[in-house]
């Protein structure tokens, strides 16, 4: 039953994710349904999906250990990796996922902990679900007025991932890291011809003219397409407006990116990031800044403390 819920989350829903990742998910879904949905020119590495049997990988985040380390360093590192999903019980669909629910819990814990002075989102994500994304971005935007929050792009913050990054106080990425893909995408599968070829007839009985919209057992109707186009337009407009508001950009400029991706200095020039800096340089700088704000110490002790903090953070990331 849970696999059917996963399919519901995958199809006929707007997503803010890289197209290739969505293609791979669709191919997996096809295998689950016994339908070949592998698309042309998609050749991504095999992913370990929940339920594949031996060797499956469950997403697990040692949040308590990171919180304890943050109490020593003053910097809380929150990983934002893999596909982004709304709730914690959605995690496990594939090998690497992060839920908006768990991110919010870690964010709130960091805000409430007086020993945490700086929060760092460590981003390596192609994006994910629309549901819950804008709400978490708003929470991050509000939280940055309480404590500084840095988005460290390591090495990607695309689509929904960028929606979260742009809400932070600042965005740092290396020269080979990228941000962007500010767009919305949706998949609909029509298996009616395959069912016909197999001699299978599906009869759907329903009440309410829109109840059977987007059904995969029949072609997409004009009314369904119009409804979907309206939803995509709305979600895209909201996404672009959020980026414009949080980054201080003109909404037309955001739309003008046409969901492209921007690397290193390109991202800074486009106003989508603030600084080009390697991961270790960023970690060293943030740890030093936090150490400098803490109890006064001798220069040697302060430098040693900052170095230790940076080393601890780099291990976590």
């Amino acid at each position: 039953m849970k696999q059917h819920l996963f399919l519901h989350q995958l199809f006929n829903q707007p997503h803010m994710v890289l197209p290739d990742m969505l293609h791979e998910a669709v191919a997996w879904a096809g295998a689950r349904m016994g339908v070949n949905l592998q698309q042309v020119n998609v050749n991504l590495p095999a992913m370990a999906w929940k339920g594949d049997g031996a060797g499956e990988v469950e997403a697990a985040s040692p949040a308590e250990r990171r919180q304890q380390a943050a109490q020593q360093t003053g910097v809380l590192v929150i990983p934002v990796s893999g596909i982004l999903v709304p709730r914690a019980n959605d995690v496990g669909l594939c090998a690497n996922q992060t839920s908006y629910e768990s991110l919010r819990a870690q964010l709130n814990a960091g805000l409430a902990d007086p020993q945490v002075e700086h929060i760092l989102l460590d981003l390596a994500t192609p994006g994910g679900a629309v549901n819950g994304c804008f709400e978490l971005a708003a929470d991050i935007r509000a939280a940055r007025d309480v404590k500084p929050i840095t988005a460290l792009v390591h090495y990607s913050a695309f689509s929904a991932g960028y929606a979260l990054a742009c809400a932070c106080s600042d965005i740092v990425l290396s020269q080979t890291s990228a941000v962007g893909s500010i767009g919305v995408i949706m998949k609909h599968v029509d298996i009616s011809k395959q069912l016909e070829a197999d001699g299978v007839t599906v009869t759907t009985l329903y009440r309410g003219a829109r109840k059977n919209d987007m059904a995969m057992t029949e072609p997409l109707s004009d009314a369904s397409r119009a409804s979907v186009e309206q939803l995509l337009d709305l979600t895209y407009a909201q996404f672009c407006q959020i980026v414009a508001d949080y980054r201080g950009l003109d909404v037309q400029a955001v739309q003008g990116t046409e969901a492209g991706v921007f690397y290193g200095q390109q991202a800074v020039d486009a106003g989508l990031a603030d600084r080009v800096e390697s991961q270790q340089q960023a970690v060293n700088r943030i740890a030093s800044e936090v150490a400098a704000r803490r109890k006064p110490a001798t220069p040697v002790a302060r430098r040693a403390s900052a170095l230790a903090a940076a080393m601890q953070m780099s291990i976590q990331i």
Side-chain angles (χ1 to χ4, degrees):
M1 180 64 180
K2 194 171 185 180
Q3 289 177 3
H4 293 294
L5 295 178
F6 289 154
L7 296 178
H8 168 72
Q9 294 168 6
L10 177 61
F11 294 113
N12 305 331
Q13 299 286 336
H15 298 285
M16 299 191 303
V17 67
L18 287 179
D20 283 354
M21 182 59 68
L22 187 56
H23 293 337
E24 180 73 1
V26 167
W28 166 83
R32 286 299 186 210
M33 294 186 296
V35 179
N36 181 12
L37 298 181
Q38 184 67 43
Q39 291 138 97
V40 178
N41 296 328
V42 177
N43 185 23
L44 297 181
M47 300 179 68
W49 299 93
K50 183 180 175 76
D52 282 349
E56 70 179 31
V57 182
E58 297 275 353
S61 177
E64 295 82 4
R65 187 167 58 186
R66 287 194 298 272
Q67 189 75 27
Q68 292 173 359
Q71 293 172 352
Q72 299 297 319
T73 64
V75 181
L76 175 62
V77 178
I78 302 178
V80 185
S81 59
I83 300 174
L84 303 178
V85 296
R87 307 192 66 177
N89 60 5
D90 295 326
V91 174
L93 168 59
C94 70
N96 194 13
Q97 289 181 252
T98 302
S99 73
Y100 298 136
E101 187 177 66
S102 67
L103 291 175
R104 178 177 287 105
Q106 293 177 76
L107 176 66
N108 289 339
L111 293 174
D113 191 336
Q115 297 186 65
V116 173
E117 300 183 31
H118 199 121
I119 297 173
L120 189 152
L121 298 188
D122 174 31
L123 293 125
T125 172
V130 171
N131 294 340
C133 179
F134 298 154
E135 293 85 345
L136 178 57
D139 289 345
I140 295 173
R141 177 62 182 84
R144 82 185 197 189
D145 292 334
V146 180
K147 295 181 180 181
I149 304 176
T150 293
L152 177 58
V153 181
H154 179 225
Y155 290 93
S156 58
F158 296 129
S159 220
Y162 185 73
L164 302 184
C166 75
C168 296
S169 308
D170 62 329
I171 301 176
V172 179
L173 77 171
S174 70
Q175 61 182 348
T176 59
S177 297
V179 299
S181 190
I182 305 169
V184 187
I185 191 169
M186 180 186 292
K187 291 285 187 180
H188 173 263
V189 173
D190 173 10
I191 63 172
S192 59
K193 290 184 178 180
Q194 180 171 341
L195 291 174
E196 182 180 357
D198 293 340
V200 177
T201 299
V202 177
T203 301
T204 305
L205 307 176
Y206 57 93
R207 300 294 184 271
R210 308 301 299 275
K211 189 64 175 177
N212 200 42
D213 280 4
M214 308 294 291
M216 68 173 59
T217 55
E218 57 190 59
L220 190 65
S221 68
D222 291 341
S224 294
R225 178 179 289 276
S227 177
V228 168
E229 295 288 357
Q230 186 177 29
L231 176 60
L232 291 176
D233 286 343
L234 174 63
T235 306
Y236 180 58
Q238 291 174 331
F239 192 2
C240 291
Q241 190 63 59
I242 283 173
V243 174
D245 291 344
Y246 293 172
R247 292 295 303 171
L249 299 172
D250 184 84
V251 69
Q252 281 75 30
V254 177
Q255 293 172 342
T257 66
E258 294 294 351
V261 298
F262 298 80
Y263 288 83
Q265 190 60 44
Q266 288 180 327
V268 175
D269 294 342
L272 300 180
D274 299 290
R275 185 196 298 254
V276 177
E277 195 172 35
S278 74
Q279 172 205 355
Q280 192 59 60
Q281 288 175 331
V283 166
N284 291 346
R285 175 177 56 80
I286 292 171
S288 296
E289 291 171 354
V290 170
R293 290 196 299 266
R294 290 190 155 192
K295 183 187 300 184
T298 63
V300 173
R302 181 180 297 138
R303 182 176 182 276
S305 176
L307 179 59
M311 291 175 65
Q312 179 66 33
M313 289 168 60
S314 65
I315 291 173
Q316 298 168 29
I317 294 176

